[in-house]
Amino acid sequence: MNPADLGLPVDVPSTALFTDHYELTMLQAALANGTADRRSVFEVFTRRLPEGRRYGVVAGTGRVLDAVENFRFDTAVLEFLRERAVVDMRTLDWLASYRFSGDIWGYPEGEVYFPGSPLLRVEGSFAECVLLETVILSILNHDSAIAAAASRMASAAGGRPLIEMGARRTHELAAVAASRAAYVGGFTSTSDLAAGFRYGIPTVGTSAHAFTLVHDTERDAFQAQVASLGSGTTLLVDTYDVAEAVRTAVEVAGTGLGAVRIDSGDLLLVAHRVRQQLDELGATGTRIVVTSDLDEYAIASLAAAPVDAYGVGTQLVTGSGHPTCSMVYKLVARAASADPKAPLVPVAKKSSGGKTSIGGRKWAARRTDAEGVAEAEVVGTGAVPASLADTQLLVQLVKAGEVVARESLEAARDRHREALASLPLSATQLSRGEAVIPTEYA
């Protein structure tokens, strides 16, 4: 059995209701006035990066493909819409046979992006494309925010392993998606078994303070854990007195104790003291794992500490202060009529307040310098300049309604590592600043 084939359980029969009411009322009006069949191009982009971020990370692409495939209006869903009088019978009849039959192009998962990058391009009739807006944005905004936070934390960790531990800090289904996005962004494992089952992410975990407290003594708890899990386990040493716990842990497990975990206090100071104590006790190979509401700044502050791994929860699953990427899904071109041969006409929103958009079906490429370091994100319409033809970023994900570019999480994870390495070194700085490369329009 391949768990990835099971699909993520949800509380409604399909992804079709992961949408906003007005998507369906727009559809009803478009069907009535003849614009529903107009060939259209929608694009996902963000006008700016979250404050202080130097780059964004594309995550959730695989989940978007699953959502598009499962966007079906079955009997129960149609009955719900009929009972609520959301749309008329003509529209319900149209929805009953809905299957996305268009094309989707996008930045591959794990790639980095910048303001104006056309992250996803959805092409088809207005009717079939407009319905996908909400579900696409909900996935990409959430997952890309988590992946960006994970990427910054992974950079701050400097190669030390990162454990995703945020399941108890968010919605149960969001926790699974967050684990997936964190893995793309550079985390090495998760505590969430559902994420391990669904996506094959390595899972880890040993015990919490409750396990120590349920025993009469800390020694009893350690003995029980080592007897059950072996001396290579990780013992939690900050329930009472850390120094006493470390001494007891080595006495119980021996110098081959796998690791100790510290979850409170001045982590920098405590880690140094614990390392010294472990070495003096002969447990020189015992690793130190720290947790306790870490973010990228806290991880960076521990760079010089004898810490071997980090466990991160709340700050990761909330995007480390930026839980969304402010991505939007905008119509950028549409045919002049419902005639399949009608030419596409660029369209764009023109308004005050910085919410304008640029019309036209876009391509994107990343210009690099002589050493292969990125120097600009180039976005344009029309013909792609020959000098940029080999550096285009969008790949076809769906062709005539069929997914053509599904890939493993490992591939997305590797791509992100390579994409980040191609950016200027300042991309990984945690100091606030603008996007590490500019977006140019051709």
Side-chain angles (χ1 to χ4, degrees), residues 57 146-148 150-152 154-155 180-187 413 416 420:
V57 181
I146 304 304
S151 178
R152 285 162 59 86
S155 293
R180 183 186 184 282
Y183 194 65
V184 170
F187 273 57
R413 179 181 170 85
H416 178 61
L420 192 56

Side-chain angles (χ1 to χ4, degrees), residues 323-345:
T324 182
C325 302
S326 299
M327 294 177 185
V328 294
Y329 182 94
K330 296 298 181 183
L331 181 67
V332 296
R334 50 87 175 167
S337 70
D339 185 340
K341 297 181 180 180
L344 286 173
V345 178

